[in-house]
Amino acid sequence: MAEIIQRDGTWVFDGDALRLTPGRDRNVSLLRRALGELVVPLGALAGISFEQGKKSGRLRLRLRDGADPLLHASGGRLTEPNDPYQLLVESDRYGVAEYFTDEVRNALLLDKVPSDPADQYLLPGPPVPLSVSAGDGTVSFDGEQIRLEWNWKTEDAKAAAGTRTLAVTDVVAVEWQPAAGLENGHLRFTVRDAATKAPPKYDPNSVELWGFKKDPLMALVAAAVQARLPHPSAAPVDVSPKQLEEPPRDDHDALLRRLRELGELHRTGVLTDEEFTMAKQAVLKRL
């Protein structure tokens, strides 16, 4: 067994799995503390590295593509403080970190663990139920349903639709994008037969994020949902341009909702007069 204990966290390797526990230091990120302890099976690893610095070093785990729903949902956009697969190492523990690295590397070689992409999730994703408030709304997920509630900062066009409840079985994709520079971020759910090109600010299936402290926690919601979607190695679900414009022919209520949504998007200036007219006519033909 190999173990390294730091203020940033504790990593333990027993030959079969790594147990990653975030530290209690005030500098440990909110996301890592909320995620809690992770158990990473050896088969989910593609490699490990240790980088030395003048004052501190960093242990890094590299997971196989497709092994972890959190990494897939965040798309490599987690910053270093929020990455649960990195550990800050104080300079007086460099020897321990090097020993830890060698132990994991040797186990990967002995077990002949492949480094190619995984064809199924090897980690379960964040535990549910889960609820996060950030940006212009609150997202709750119980493993079966996603609930989106709006706050006073939500655009009227989106808030007018009221609280949204989405069955995870109707979700075909989830995307988490952090705010960067002057660009806002978002958490967006793409719903079967109801995809949209509307900006997250107006999309009733999206939460807009502005770069505040709790924004990264939305990545946990994205990961919990992603863990219950088909694995990325499965055949992709096609979203046609036609689905971006209108719902299925036999859903009368959905058509009426779509008309209301188009009206709000036109009123707030998201759609031009020409775009609104064309989209409205396309929906009316389905009624």
Side-chain angles (χ1 to χ4, degrees):
M1 187 179 79
E3 179 181 61
I4 180 167
I5 302 173
Q6 294 290 278
R7 288 181 297 177
D8 193 42
T10 298
W11 286 13
V12 178
F13 176 54
D14 63 6
D16 295 318
L18 291 95
R19 189 175 298 273
L20 316 179
T21 306
R24 297 182 179 181
D25 188 77
R26 60 184 179 86
N27 292 322
V28 174
S29 75
L30 187 60
L31 182 146
R32 288 179 58 206
R33 284 187 273 132
L35 184 59
E37 185 176 83
L38 282 175
V39 177
V40 184
L42 186 64
L45 286 185
I48 183 173
S49 64
F50 174 56
E51 304 165 2
Q52 294 188 17
K54 291 182 178 180
K55 295 183 178 180
S56 63
R58 192 177 294 270
L59 270 171
R60 299 178 190 266
L61 295 181
R62 182 166 58 89
L63 271 64
R64 296 168 60 191
D65 289 343
D68 179 24
L70 173 61
L71 293 183
H72 183 77
S74 58
R77 293 181 288 268
L78 288 175
T79 58
E80 285 189 345
N82 291 312
D83 188 343
Y85 302 114
Q86 298 189 30
L87 181 73
L88 286 176
V89 179
E90 297 165 14
S91 58
D92 62 348
R93 290 293 182 271
Y94 282 179
V96 177
E98 290 172 346
Y99 172 76
F100 189 95
T101 301
D102 289 341
E103 287 293 292
V104 175
R105 282 177 177 166
N106 290 337
L108 289 171
L109 289 173
L110 289 173
D111 285 23
K112 298 180 179 179
V113 176
S115 58
D116 57 337
D119 59 5
Q120 62 179 333
Y121 290 124
L122 302 177
L123 283 90
V128 294
L130 187 62
S131 182
V132 177
S133 296
D136 66 353
T138 297
V139 183
S140 303
F141 181 51
D142 62 6
E144 296 181 356
Q145 291 189 323
I146 303 160
R147 183 179 175 87
L148 296 99
E149 301 174 85
W150 313 116
N151 57 38
W152 64 273
K153 295 170 283 188
T154 309
E155 280 291 323
D156 291 343
K158 185 161 68 173
T163 298
R164 302 278 289 175
T165 301
L166 308 173
V168 71
T169 52
D170 291 332
V171 175
V172 297
V174 57
E175 178 187 38
W176 173 77
Q177 176 73 51
L182 298 178
E183 296 293 326
N184 291 336
H186 62 265
L187 173 64
R188 186 195 295 272
F189 301 100
T190 300
V191 180
R192 182 177 290 105
D193 299 325
T196 177
K197 291 182 179 179
K201 184 176 184 177
Y202 302 103
D203 179 9
N205 295 327
S206 298
V207 173
E208 188 178 39
L209 304 173
W210 301 312
F212 296 142
K213 184 178 180 180
K214 290 187 177 180
D215 281 11
L217 295 180
M218 285 293 184
L220 299 183
V221 179
V225 173
Q226 184 67 53
R228 289 158 178 82
L229 299 183
H231 190 269
S233 66
V237 177
D238 290 330
V239 180
S240 67
K242 190 174 183 179
Q243 290 176 337
L244 292 174
E245 297 177 358
E246 55 192 57
R249 183 182 296 275
D250 57 355
D251 193 340
H252 185 269
D253 289 341
L255 291 169
L256 292 177
R257 288 197 300 272
R258 184 59 174 159
L259 282 175
R260 289 195 292 270
E261 290 172 359
L262 290 172
E264 291 292 343
L265 293 172
H266 178 243
R267 183 179 66 81
T268 55
V270 176
L271 295 177
T272 65
D273 292 344
E274 182 180 358
E275 290 171 334
F276 172 66
T277 300
M278 291 178 62
K280 183 176 70 172
Q281 289 176 349
V283 174
L284 289 175
K285 287 180 181 178
R286 309 289 292 185
L287 285 171

